Amino acid sequence: MYRILSNQEPSLISRNDGNPSAATSTIRSVNYEYGTNDNISNGTKIINPSNNSQHPQFDRRSKPSRLMSPMGTDSLRTVIIPGDLISKFTSIASLNSLKNIETCGVLCGKIIRDELVITHLVLPKQTGTPDSCTTLNEEEIYNIIDRYSLIQMGWIHTHPSQTSFLSSVDLHMHLSYQLMMPESIAIVVAPSKQECNVFTLTSVGVEMLQKCVNTGFHPHPPLEEPYFVDANHTAFESSRYIIVEDLR
């Protein structure tokens, strides 16, 4: 489950335990667009952003530059997410979302007391479509990372008209992050569905995706286990606030 490190639970976070009344908004089934058949686990946690946002596929070429977890995938360090990240990103992406254009950003931070604390949201120059987002001038991202001595901890993007899930392209995008650091997360905001999830690849998903040589949107063979699940090694901390570096 999501761990809230505050006496006051952020209003943008709710939980679905299979009981529709447990969440503050209706939880819709995942729509496997683009002909993919990638599995998702049940019991999806839903974060309900208050503003509109959009979904970008994020530039597939941008990859985390450093830091392999010394602990391995069986003992993941906690990733701390600022309580205002989702609402702030949703607001920033709202104009694109209204146009049905995806928006993406890179999540960066620092290691503090053996926890991975996200501190910065970097929005690179980018172009987007209803189902993709490509970053430009990626060297500017690394300039920010070097300037503040940050580590890439994952990425965030919108699905302006779809549900919150990882498409086949998203899976391959996140694979590059998770191979560099197992704790890396992928956040998908679906404003039109009032959904938001924090995802991670399963060990089976990582293994299968490493064998896949297809590009673009394509189906993956169904597995008994899901390709991706909710990232339970994360915690929203309402006392922390995200720093936005908008390079667009």
Side-chain angles (χ1 to χ4, degrees):
M1 71 176 62
Y2 288 126
R3 177 164 56 94
I4 308 301
L5 303 182
S6 170
N7 292 329
Q8 181 178 5
E9 180 174 344
S11 60
L12 59 90
I13 297 175
S14 66
R15 172 93 185 275
N16 171 30
D17 291 309
N19 180 359
S21 63
T24 60
S25 68
T26 302
I27 298 173
R28 296 167 173 80
S29 61
V30 173
N31 176 18
Y32 296 105
E33 59 177 346
Y34 314 120
T36 62
N37 191 29
D38 305 317
N39 301 336
I40 182 173
S41 66
N42 294 324
T44 300
K45 288 81 171 178
I46 302 297
I47 304 168
N48 302 301
S50 57
N51 302 320
N52 287 332
S53 143
Q54 85 180 56
H55 151 41
Q57 292 293 108
F58 193 75
D59 183 8
R60 308 315 191 255
R61 298 168 298 170
S62 179
K63 299 179 181 180
S65 59
R66 57 183 123 177
L67 198 64
M68 179 67 181
S69 169
M71 304 176 67
T73 56
D74 293 332
S75 182
L76 298 177
R77 293 165 293 185
T78 300
V79 177
I80 304 297
I81 305 172
D84 65 338
L85 170 63
I86 305 302
S87 60
K88 189 163 289 186
F89 175 70
T90 300
S91 178
I92 291 172
S94 60
L95 290 179
N96 277 349
S97 296
L98 290 174
K99 300 174 185 177
N100 197 26
I101 297 175
E102 292 189 359
T103 303
C104 63
V106 181
L107 303 174
C108 304
K110 297 177 179 288
I111 300 177
I112 301 176
R113 294 187 295 275
D114 203 36
E115 291 183 323
L116 303 176
V117 180
I118 294 174
T119 58
H120 289 68
L121 165 63
V122 182
L123 295 162
K125 291 182 177 65
Q126 57 193 267
T127 60
T129 71
D131 54 35
S132 68
C133 183
T134 301
T135 60
L136 309 171
N137 300 343
E138 294 174 13
E139 65 278 2
E140 295 180 354
I141 302 174
Y142 297 102
N143 288 340
I144 295 294
I145 290 173
D146 292 338
R147 181 186 308 168
Y148 299 110
S149 299
L150 302 174
I151 298 166
Q152 294 188 60
M153 298 181 178
W155 60 301
I156 183 171
H157 72 290
T158 57
H159 283 183
S161 59
Q162 298 293 326
T163 56
S164 175
F165 71 104
L166 294 179
S167 69
S168 58
V169 176
D170 295 336
L171 291 174
H172 284 278
M173 173 64 197
H174 191 60
L175 176 64
S176 63
Y177 276 91
Q178 203 162 317
L179 287 177
M180 293 294 292
M181 189 172 73
E183 293 92 343
S184 296
I185 59 174
I187 301 179
V188 182
V189 178
S192 67
K193 309 300 182 184
Q194 289 290 290
E195 296 178 357
C196 177
N197 295 77
V198 184
F199 293 123
T200 185
L201 301 177
T202 63
S203 58
V204 174
V206 169
E207 180 181 358
M208 291 298 294
L209 290 169
Q210 285 182 290
K211 298 176 182 178
C212 179
V213 297
N214 295 320
T215 59
F217 293 109
H218 58 276
H220 288 123
L223 303 173
E224 292 184 3
E225 297 181 30
Y227 279 80
F228 63 97
V229 294
D230 294 295
N232 291 324
H233 62 288
T234 61
F236 282 84
E237 187 171 336
S238 59
S239 62
R240 293 187 180 275
Y241 301 93
I242 196 69
I243 299 171
V244 178
E245 294 283 348
D246 196 337
L247 306 176
R248 296 174 299 169

